[in-house]
């Protein structure tokens, strides 16, 4: 388009508006130029497959004529758009076009060079379809381009054509401020913080709000400008307090439409769906009542993950949102006119009571096969005016767990109130999800059980902007008005309860607040302005005093931080003068919460307010709560560790994570096995290992569950679960509080993993950000988002004086460090940890797929330099000569970046990171069990079971002498955690299954090398799942990889005492390695005779003739054969039968021949070095 002289004026989802500015005399030539451009676009892109599997098909409409430029907005934000008859004709032409077609409007057909075109008339239409044209020559195109309206600041593209600004650009000192008004605030924040443009884009959960104004037919340009300008100003006024923004205004797609977005980068708020729905109903009401020349207003709200970022050409792009949810909002806006509609996701995430909504009939929408249930948001109804009780329901199975301290405090405060009769407020402060609502529900139940009258209410985010909402809800529920459906019944209830409290003439002041119809008295009718307001406040204060102080009772207010200012102005003085007992919950960050906190700290009021912060649940309480919710006796330790670490002890997080696992069918519920013999196969071995030592709940929470246990499915890795949308939005709201550049660094770190080194982070960061990395990391540490990894410091009296003082990040790692400055040394081996796992996962999921894959590739390239044994173990592969057996698939993984091959500081940092990862994997949070304080695998019953099994066997003889076998104190334990396991994860994320399988085998071999059979078993199980997913794809996994897989299975089975299964696996491995091991005595006899034949000379000659890489590949095969034969020899020697002795001797002879071949190849390799 740019080469042909066009200028992209607007992007609108799946549509683009392009302008050619030409004089009236040159319109005919310009239309031919546009047609030639359109036909070329159709040829190249008209029918195109995309990488996401969707087929892209284009249709084009063309019109010509004068257009008017409109500028709308307020002093903060400005928008530009065009209107006119040509735009109306363009819209009609586009609607008439089918995929692959070009349609000319009636006016452009009259103005064009008709002799060039081949067209077809459309039935009952003046527009025409272009079926062909005589191409313009190169000189004609150049001439037409030169005659287009030029702008003084035109710039020429490389090659032919010109790029011209569609609008005159401002100049001078105020140019930046003027242009900033036309750019999204989310994009401006990133620009101001110097975030690179190619890092703007994210996959982010947002709420989209589409508004359509149906303008009066025949409206002129001046009136259109007035309507759109007024509408944009009203919308901006409504959206700004809710952190929403108008992303674009278009007049050419669906009439006059506004796309508004909530939750863009830096603007995420808790309760986002409620903010969007509130804004939607306000916009609907304001536009419907205040805009002239508007026939109808339609608003649609959707929630979901969309692409937020820069789209378009490098020279013409914009910051916008694209995705299915945006399309759904646009369709709903059209198919449900004249109301505020929302999708099922918005309905669910708002967590508003059902009476705020009304289900709408299903309608077919273009391009959407299953749009889901659509609701009308009706806002405040008669039922919602009187509020609602506590939304949380008390568990029918058992009492609330983990809040014993809070419940005891409630009991003691209530008893003091009963004895002394003094007023008291018990306030619980907690973050979102900390269990405040569940706690208040439990306390309300306990108050009722003690025989007290309990008046409970829950406030919502929508209530804080509704004047007198809190006081009305409290009084209505205390007086029982929520049960009175008719106006007359409410009037009789009020008269009965308030007679003698307020004068008869003042009852009419309650009409609006309680939806009653008392006759307006002469006294009230004569009141004006301030006098009437004072009387109204006085009346409400009397009613509130009667309601709260009239009789003994407990008042429970959930989300008291949502008490509106108007209500508090009346409640505050009344609460100082009456006797009452009130329990409330508060969230940090609100003015009302700060007020109660200060009052609790004030000596004059501290005796009347008890203020308590809700801590996270202890790990033991998390386990008990999960068992209670699942109605099981116990859960597996892997499940407990996952939930405890991810939830950080926050009940709501734990509930959502558990719900996500259940919805995705990732858990198994089964009765505990009692001394029954399991089948001797691989699947049974995995299941037995997982079930071997579950975490038990307390007897009170597990009574009547018949010994049922919940485990994670063996074919599932919970680490790969996608974060639930609810938790992602909470995490993003926290992330958006930090500056864009810090958030960008955090996103890069999230790709690496929960623990990362500064060297690896520097390697994957763009060049322009590396010099800022250290400063940004320190700021993130000060924000408590990251923390430096701390190690045990070496005491001064035993330090080597040549090393200098150990730093908190390096001391105690046991390796010598160079002597540069302290700051340099810290950065060379810096290791950081995410403080909150959910923040890392939320940051990671913001990456668009292509960028995410590219970063995983960079991480893999860096880590592969260190994917080997430690120096004390020989620095080779954990599967001997493994790297020579497979074709490398490292594409794009060059050694770019500051770290070089073999950098000792990188190795030291990775060892430190690995030690932390091992602690995270093997240790749960302190106090997870009452009797056991750590999740050490060596302390697990499961590990004890493995060790007991392996004690029945002797140490396996091997040609390779393992210096650290059994009690490995080398650095391999750390390297497997920080290098091999992450490498498998990176390659899975890249979609490179073969390479992922390779590193899963290396990981399993490494865990066997350090005598950790349980985790080796789990890694082989992951490899099994990956292998099964690739069964239909031929030749993805190499033959040697298959053989290694079965040989490692055999070794694990042997270590766990499954001798028969180990033999089966090892025979399968030898078969794949080309060394069949017989199953019968006759076969063993024949094979033994063959093995006696001399072939050493042939092997030596062949070894010396092969190139080095082929020789080492053969060595890998031979060493793997030797390992399998050695283990078979040992297993058959344990049988004590003649048959076992025969197979033992055969295995020994085959191994001896294999070892001679190994010696020949190693000798040849030494000679050729």
């Amino acid at each position: 388009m740019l080469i042909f002289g066009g200028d992209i004026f607007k992007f609108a989802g799946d549509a683009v508006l392009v302008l050619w500015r030409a004089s009236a005399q040159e319109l005919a030539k310009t239309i031919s130029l546009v047609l030639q451009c359109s036909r070329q676009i159709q040829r190249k892109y008209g029918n195109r497959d995309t990488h996401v599997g969707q087929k892209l098909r284009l249709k084009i409409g063309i019109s010509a004529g004068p257009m008017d430029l409109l500028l709308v907005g307020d002093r903060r934000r400005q928008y530009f758009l065009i209107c006119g008859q040509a735009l109306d004709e363009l819209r009609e032409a586009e609607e008439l076009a089918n995929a692959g077609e070009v349609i000319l409007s009636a006016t452009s057909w009259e103005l064009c060079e008709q002799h060039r075109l081949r067209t077809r008339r459309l039935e009952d239409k003046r527009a025409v379809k272009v079926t062909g044209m005589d191409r313009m020559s190169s000189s004609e195109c150049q001439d037409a381009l030169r005659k287009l309206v030029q702008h003084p600041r035109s710039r020429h593209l490389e090659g032919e054509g010109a790029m011209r600004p569609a609008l005159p650009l401002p100049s001078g000192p105020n140019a930046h401020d003027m242009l900033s008004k036309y750019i999204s605030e989310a994009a401006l924040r990133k620009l101001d913080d110097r975030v690179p443009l190619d890092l703007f884009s994210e996959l982010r959960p947002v709420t989209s709000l589409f508004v359509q104004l149906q303008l009066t037919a025949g409206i002129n340009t001046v009136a259109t400008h007035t309507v759109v300008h007024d509408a944009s100003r009203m919308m901006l006024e409504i959206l700004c307090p809710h952190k929403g923004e108008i992303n674009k205004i278009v007049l050419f797609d669906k009439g006059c439409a506004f796309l508004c977005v909530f939750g863009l980068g830096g603007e995420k708020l808790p309760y986002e769906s409620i903010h969007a729905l509130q804004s939607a109903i306000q916009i609907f009401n304001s536009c419907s009542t205040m805009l002239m020349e508007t026939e109808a207003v339609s608003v649609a709200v959707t929630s979901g993950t969309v692409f937020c970022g820069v789209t378009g050409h490098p020279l013409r792009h914009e910051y916008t949102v694209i995705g299915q949810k945006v399309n759904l909002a646009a369709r709903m806006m059209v198919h449900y006119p004249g109301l505020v509609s929302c999708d099922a996701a918005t309905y669910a995430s708002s967590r508003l009571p059902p009476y705020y909504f009304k289900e709408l009939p299903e309608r077919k929408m273009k391009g959407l096969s299953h749009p889901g249930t659509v609701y009308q948001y009706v806002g405040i109804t008669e039922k919602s005016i009187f509020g609602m009780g506590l939304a949380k329901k008390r568990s029918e199975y058992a009492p609330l767990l983990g809040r014993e301290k809070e419940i005891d405090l409630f009991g003691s405060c209530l008893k003091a109130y009963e004895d002394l009769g003094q007023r008291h407020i018990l306030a619980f402060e907690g973050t979102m999800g900390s269990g405040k609502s569940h706690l208040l529900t439990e306390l309300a139940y306990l108050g009722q059980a003690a025989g007290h009258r309990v008046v409970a209410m829950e406030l919502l985010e929508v209530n804080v902007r509704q004047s007198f909402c809190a006081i009305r809800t409290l009084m209505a529920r205390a007086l029982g008005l929520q049960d009175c459906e008719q106006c007359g019944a409410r009037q009789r209830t009020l008269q009965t309860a308030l007679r003698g409290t307020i004068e008869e003439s003042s009852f009419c002041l309650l009409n609006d607040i309680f939806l009653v119809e008392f006759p307006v008295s002469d006294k009230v009718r004569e009141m004006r302005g301030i006098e009437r307001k004072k009387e109204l406040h006085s009346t409400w204060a009397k009613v509130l005093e009667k309601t709260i102080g009239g009789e003994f009772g407990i008042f429970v207010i959930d989300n008291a931080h949502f008490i509106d200012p108007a209500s508090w102005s009346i409640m505050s003085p009344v609460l100082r003068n009456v006797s009452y007992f009130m329990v409330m919950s508060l969230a940090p960050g609100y003015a009302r919460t700060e007020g109660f906190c200060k009052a609790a700290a004030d000596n004059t009021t501290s005796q009347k307010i008890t203020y308590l912060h809700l801590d996270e649940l202890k790990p033991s309480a998390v386990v008990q709560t999960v068992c209670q919710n699942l109605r099981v006796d116990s859960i597996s330790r892997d499940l407990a560790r996952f939930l405890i670490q991810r939830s950080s002890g926050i009940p709501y997080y734990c509930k959502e994570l558990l719900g996500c696992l259940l919805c995705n069918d990732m858990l198994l519920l089964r009765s505990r096995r009692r001394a029954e013999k399991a089948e001797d196969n691989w699947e049974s071995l995995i299941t037995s290992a997982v079930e071997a030592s579950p975490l038990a709940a307390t007897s009170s929470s597990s009574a009547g569950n018949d010994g049922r246990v919940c485990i994670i499915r063996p074919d599932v890795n919970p680490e790969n679960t996608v974060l639930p949308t609810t938790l992602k939005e909470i995490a993003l709201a926290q992330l958006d509080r930090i500056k864009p550049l810090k958030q960008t660094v955090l996103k890069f770190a999230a790709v690496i993993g929960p623990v990362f080194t500064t060297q690896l982070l520097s390697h994957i960061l763009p060049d322009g950000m590396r010099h800022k990395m250290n400063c940004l990391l320190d700021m993130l540490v000060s924000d408590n988002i990251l923390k430096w990894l701390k190690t045990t410091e070496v005491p001064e009296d035993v330090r080597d004086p040549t090393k200098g003082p150990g730093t908190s990040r390096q001391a105690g790692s046991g390796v010598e460090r160079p002597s540069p400055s302290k700051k340099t040394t810290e950065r060379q081996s810096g290791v950081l940890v995410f403080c909150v796992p959910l923040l890392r996962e939320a940051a990671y999921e913001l990456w668009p797929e292509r960028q995410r894959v590219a970063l995983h590739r960079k991480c893999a390239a860096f880590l592969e330099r260190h994917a080997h044994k430690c120096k004390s173990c020989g620095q080779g592969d954990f599967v001997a000569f493994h790297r020579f057996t497979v074709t490398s698939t490292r594409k794009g993984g060059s050694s770019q970046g500051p770290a070089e091959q073999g950098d000792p500081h990188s190795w030291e940092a990775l060892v430190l990171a690995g030690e932390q990862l091992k602690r995270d994997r093997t240790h749960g949070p302190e106090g997870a069990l009452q009797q056991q304080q750590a999740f050490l695998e060596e302390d697990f019953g499961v590990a004890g079971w493995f060790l007991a099994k392996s004690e029945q066997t002797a140490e396996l003889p091997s040609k390779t002498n393992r210096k650290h076998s059994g009690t490995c104190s080398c650095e391999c334990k750390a390297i497997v955690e920080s290098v091999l396991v992450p490498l498998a994860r990176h390659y899975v994320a890249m979609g490179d299954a073969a390479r992922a399988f390779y590193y899963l085998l290396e990981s399993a071999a490494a865990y066997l090398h350090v005598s950790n059979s349980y985790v080796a078993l789990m890694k082989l199980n992951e490899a099994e799942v990956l292998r099964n997913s690739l069964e239909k794809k031929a030749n993805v996994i190499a033959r040697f990889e298959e053989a290694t897989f079965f040989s490692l299975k055999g070794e694990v089975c042997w270590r766990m005492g499954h001798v028969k299964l180990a033999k089966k696996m090892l025979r399968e491995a030898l078969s794949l390695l080309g060394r069949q091991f017989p199953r019968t005595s006759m076969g063993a006899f024949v094979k033994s005779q063959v093995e006696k034949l001399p072939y050493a000379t042939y092997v030596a000659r062949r070894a010396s003739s092969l190139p080095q890489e082929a020789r080492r590949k053969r060595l890998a095969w031979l060493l793997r054969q030797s390992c399998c034969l050695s283990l078979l020899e040992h297993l058959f020697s344990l049988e004590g039968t003649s048959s076992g002795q025969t197979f033992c001797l055969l295995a020994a002879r085959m191994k001896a021949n294999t070892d001679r071949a190994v010696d020949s190849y190693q000798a040849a390799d030494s000679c050729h070095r």
Side-chain angles (χ1 to χ4, degrees), residues 1039 1043 1065-1077 1079 1117:
R1039 187 180 181 87
M1065 296 297 175
L1066 292 168
R1067 277 194 169 103
E1068 182 67 27
L1070 285 170
S1071 175
L1072 290 165
L1073 290 167
R1075 293 295 298 275
Q1076 296 285 347
F1077 194 85
R1079 299 178 183 276
W1117 284 67

Side-chain angles (χ1 to χ4, degrees), residues 80-238:
F80 57 86
L81 54 155
I82 57 172
C83 68
Q85 183 181 348
L87 187 66
D88 296 334
E89 289 191 4
L90 175 64
R91 185 162 54 243
E92 182 185 6
E94 183 270 331
E95 289 173 353
L96 292 172
N98 295 317
E101 294 180 349
V102 178
I103 302 294
L104 273 178
S105 70
T107 303
S108 56
W109 168 244
E110 294 171 1
L111 295 172
C112 73
E113 298 177 315
Q114 296 184 6
H115 64 278
R116 285 184 181 273
L117 309 182
R118 293 180 293 279
T119 61
R120 182 182 302 163
R121 286 282 180 183
L122 299 177
E123 187 177 353
D124 299 328
K125 300 293 180 183
R126 294 174 59 206
V128 297
K129 179 170 76 173
V130 179
T131 58
M133 72 174 292
D134 297 332
R135 290 178 57 82
M136 299 174 71
S137 65
S138 177
S139 60
E140 286 180 304
C141 286
Q142 290 299 322
D143 184 58
L145 284 171
R146 278 193 297 272
K147 292 179 180 177
L148 290 172
V149 174
Q150 295 293 315
H151 192 275
R153 287 185 293 277
S154 295
R155 285 174 47 204
H156 290 274
L157 289 171
E158 293 181 7
E160 58 182 321
M163 185 197 78
R164 299 161 292 100
L167 300 173
L169 298 176
S171 59
N174 297 325
H176 176 271
D177 294 336
M178 292 179 67
L179 288 174
S180 296
K181 294 180 180 181
Y182 294 92
I183 301 174
S184 163
E185 291 180 21
L188 267 180
R189 271 191 293 272
K190 293 176 185 284
L191 287 171
D192 292 343
D193 214 26
R194 300 292 190 271
V195 176
L197 193 64
D198 58 344
L199 299 179
F200 273 38
S201 301
E202 295 176 332
L203 291 178
R204 177 176 275 265
V206 302
T207 303
S208 306
L209 188 153
F210 253 113
V211 183
Q212 184 182 45
L213 303 181
Q214 189 67 44
L215 303 179
T216 306
I219 185 173
N220 59 38
T221 301
V222 175
T224 299
H225 178 262
T226 302
V227 170
V228 177
H229 182 64
D230 291 346
S232 63
R233 289 171 65 92
M234 281 193 295
M235 290 182 196
L236 288 170
E237 202 66 35
I238 292 168

Side-chain angles (χ1 to χ4, degrees), residues 648-841:
S648 303
I650 298 176
Y652 180 69
Y653 293 7
C654 183
K655 175 189 171 186
E656 290 296 303
L657 289 166
L658 187 63
C660 180
L661 294 176
L662 286 168
C663 288
N664 292 303
D665 196 24
M666 301 173 78
L667 301 180
L668 286 178
L669 300 172
R670 57 175 65 195
S671 298
R672 194 194 299 271
R673 302 180 180 186
R674 289 184 173 85
E676 57 185 46
K677 187 170 179 63
E679 295 181 31
D680 196 16
N681 57 40
W682 182 254
E683 291 74 18
S684 298
L685 180 60
I686 295 289
T687 305
S688 299
V690 174
E691 292 182 353
S693 183
L695 279 178
T698 59
S699 57
S700 62
S701 63
S702 60
N705 294 329
D706 302 324
R708 292 204 307 163
V709 61
C710 179
I711 64 172
I712 298 174
R713 291 176 64 96
D715 58 344
V716 164
N717 183 358
E719 303 298 326
N720 297 332
T721 55
V722 177
L723 199 61
T725 303
T726 49
L727 298 189
K728 187 189 295 185
E729 293 193 345
I730 294 172
L732 285 179
Q734 297 176 34
L735 280 177
D736 280 353
R737 295 173 192 161
I738 65 176
K739 289 189 174 180
L741 198 58
K742 290 195 288 182
Q743 193 177 123
T744 302
V745 170
L746 209 63
K747 285 164 58 181
F748 277 95
V751 176
I752 301 172
V755 180
F756 61 94
T757 68
T758 52
Q759 292 93 337
L760 179 48
L761 179 60
S762 176
H763 177 73
I764 66 174
L765 281 174
D767 294 339
M769 292 182 64
R770 285 180 185 145
H771 69 284
K772 304 175 185 176
M773 182 187 75
N774 293 340
C775 177
L776 293 168
L777 289 176
D778 284 335
M779 286 191 284
L780 287 166
V781 170
S782 65
D783 292 339
N784 293 321
I785 294 171
L786 299 176
K787 65 179 178 182
W788 286 104
L789 184 62
K790 298 189 179 188
T791 58
T792 306
E793 192 167 11
V794 181
E796 279 187 358
D797 56 347
V798 296
R799 268 189 210 136
D800 187 336
T802 62
K803 297 180 185 179
T807 69
S808 62
R809 295 162 204 162
Q810 298 171 330
S813 62
V815 287
E816 186 176 349
R817 288 172 174 78
S819 57
S821 68
K822 178 179 177 182
K823 185 173 181 181
T824 305
T825 308
E826 287 177 351
R827 293 310 182 214
Q828 285 175 335
S829 57
V831 181
L832 293 106
V833 185
F834 278 84
C835 296
V836 182
L838 291 185
L839 288 185
R840 184 195 76 82
E841 293 180 48

Side-chain angles (χ1 to χ4, degrees), residues 399-431:
L400 185 67
L401 298 171
R403 296 299 182 198
E404 291 78 14
K405 180 178 75 172
E406 290 80 4
I407 292 173
D408 291 343
L409 178 63
F410 168 79
S412 60
C413 290
L414 180 60
K415 188 173 189 312
Y417 173 64
E418 291 171 345
D419 295 341
L420 303 176
Q422 295 181 345
R423 67 179 183 274
H424 198 88
I425 295 178
L426 179 57
F428 296 101
E429 182 218 317
T431 57

Side-chain angles (χ1 to χ4, degrees), residues 1011-1031:
S1011 300
N1012 195 332
S1013 303
Y1014 175 75
V1015 185
L1017 174 69
M1018 293 299 105
K1019 290 301 163 189
L1020 288 174
N1021 183 51
E1022 286 183 43
E1024 174 93 4
V1025 173
L1026 181 61
R1027 178 173 170 268
N1028 291 341
S1029 70
L1030 299 171
E1031 282 184 347

Side-chain angles (χ1 to χ4, degrees), residues 276-305:
L277 290 170
Q278 275 187 275
S279 301
I281 202 74
Q282 284 181 269
I283 290 171
F284 178 82
N285 292 333
S286 299
C287 291
S288 299
T289 56
M290 300 175 66
L291 293 180
M292 308 300 292
E293 304 290 347
T294 303
E295 294 182 352
V297 180
S298 306
V299 185
V301 185
T302 59
S303 301
T305 300

